[in-house]
Amino acid sequence: MDMMIYKVFLNLHQSLPELTLANLVSWIASASMMFGGIVPYIPQYLEIRKTDNADGFSTYVCLALILANLLRILFWFGHPFEFPLLAQSVIMLATMLVMLQLCTKVKAIQEISTRKRKFSDFDARYFWQWSRFIDYLLFLSLFAVTSAVINYLLISFVVYVEMIGFLAVFTEAMLGSPQFYRNFQNKSTQGMSVQMVCCWLSGDMFKTGYFIVNEAPMQFWVCGVLQVSIDIAILLQVYCYRGQQPRRSKVAPTPSSDHIS
């Protein structure tokens, strides 16, 4: 009996990867990739709960990230990539659903006297502005099932698989563009947190470097470079528009709701 237990522990020890500095750095980088993307939303979630006000957070960010990560998961079935990147998509999906549920709950309290809008109304004017969280789940379930069926039918076509991968990472990469466009319209960056943009840049540079070092599919690092470029362009706007007042009387919302790193 003792010999059997010894053999079990010996086999377990032999199957474990060797603990080296390189492996330790790799594990930390993988954990950062999986969980780093949700960190900016923790204070945002706590702030919404504290104030019962979700006006400072755009639920369209949730829409973009949910669709981008659903497409990334579908891409994995045709072009498997590293597990940390797949896990990141699942974790981000769960995070955006939590954020969406909280925003819907808070807005429902604020709009208690207004007419309730439902997904089943099929009114394009109120797309993604429904009053119940279940309506968001219905739409996303319909999108996921439809996409999964199409993915199953076309998974053998390389062009389709690569297009899905590009759409997934391109959607995420362009999340900083609304802030750049608002700054351009206003000819001012007043009301925008420069520190936040610096955090975006550092996170996106780390992410892009991770893609390149770990030989992720080309779509990942190409769109990562695009995301870094948008961050740098926004910081250049800070320099070009320094000291200028916005052209419009209404200052744009805080940029933290328009980008995810």
Side-chain angles (χ1 to χ4, degrees):
M1 184 65 179
D2 292 340
M3 182 59 67
M4 184 180 299
I5 295 176
Y6 172 76
K7 288 182 178 180
V8 169
F9 277 102
L10 181 63
N11 291 335
L12 179 62
H13 174 74
Q14 292 176 344
S15 63
L16 292 174
E18 183 181 358
L19 182 60
T20 63
L21 180 60
N23 285 338
L24 184 60
V25 171
S26 177
W27 295 337
I28 293 174
S30 297
S32 299
M33 279 300 303
M34 288 189 289
F35 297 100
I38 70 173
V39 171
Y41 295 97
I42 296 176
Q44 182 71 72
Y45 179 89
L46 296 175
E47 180 67 19
I48 294 174
R49 288 198 60 180
K50 179 181 178 181
T51 61
D52 284 331
N53 190 330
D55 293 340
F57 181 77
S58 172
T59 55
Y60 285 100
V61 172
C62 298
L63 172 64
L65 285 175
I66 288 173
L67 296 184
N69 284 284
L70 280 174
L71 291 174
R72 187 189 289 189
I73 293 172
L74 293 176
F75 178 53
W76 181 85
F77 286 97
H79 190 159
F81 45 82
E82 277 206 330
F83 173 77
L85 299 180
L86 179 63
Q88 181 199 40
S89 294
V90 175
I91 293 169
M92 185 59 72
L93 274 175
T95 302
M96 289 300 101
L97 288 175
V98 170
M99 290 294 300
L100 191 57
Q101 190 275 336
L102 177 63
C103 292
T104 306
K105 178 182 176 181
V106 169
K107 290 180 179 180
I109 296 173
Q110 295 174 341
E111 302 171 357
I112 193 169
S113 60
T114 60
R115 180 180 179 273
K116 302 300 181 183
R117 297 184 286 269
K118 299 181 293 183
F119 170 62
S120 56
D121 294 334
F122 299 111
D123 191 337
R125 295 175 300 171
Y126 299 110
F127 174 76
W128 207 252
Q129 298 177 35
W130 305 305
S131 303
R132 304 179 304 169
F133 180 59
I134 187 64
D135 291 298
Y136 293 93
L137 292 181
L138 286 172
F139 168 78
L140 293 173
S141 298
L142 180 62
F143 177 85
V145 171
T146 304
S147 301
V149 171
I150 295 174
N151 202 61
Y152 176 77
L153 295 174
L154 302 179
I155 197 69
S156 60
F157 294 93
V158 176
V159 174
Y160 164 79
V161 172
E162 298 302 318
M163 181 187 69
I164 287 292
F166 175 77
L167 286 176
V169 291
F170 182 75
T171 301
E172 184 174 347
M174 293 302 292
L175 283 174
S177 57
Q179 181 62 50
F180 177 86
Y181 183 67
R182 282 205 299 272
N183 293 343
F184 177 76
Q185 280 189 316
N186 295 340
K187 294 297 185 288
S188 172
T189 57
Q190 183 175 327
M192 187 190 73
S193 170
V194 178
Q195 292 82 1
M196 180 63 71
V197 179
C198 291
C199 290
W200 298 345
L201 178 60
S202 60
D204 293 338
M205 289 179 66
F206 168 79
K207 183 169 62 178
T208 304
Y210 181 91
F211 292 155
I212 295 173
V213 170
N214 289 276
E215 299 180 353
M218 182 183 68
Q219 294 94 327
F220 284 79
W221 63 263
V222 169
C223 289
V225 171
L226 174 61
Q227 199 164 359
V228 169
S229 301
I230 293 175
D231 296 339
I232 294 174
I234 294 174
L235 290 176
L236 288 175
Q237 287 181 320
V238 175
Y239 176 78
C240 294
Y241 300 148
R242 63 190 184 281
Q244 296 189 33
Q245 296 296 318
R247 288 185 173 181
R248 294 179 299 178
S249 59
K250 183 178 179 180
V251 179
T254 305
S256 59
S257 63
D258 295 313
H259 187 286
I260 174 64
S261 55

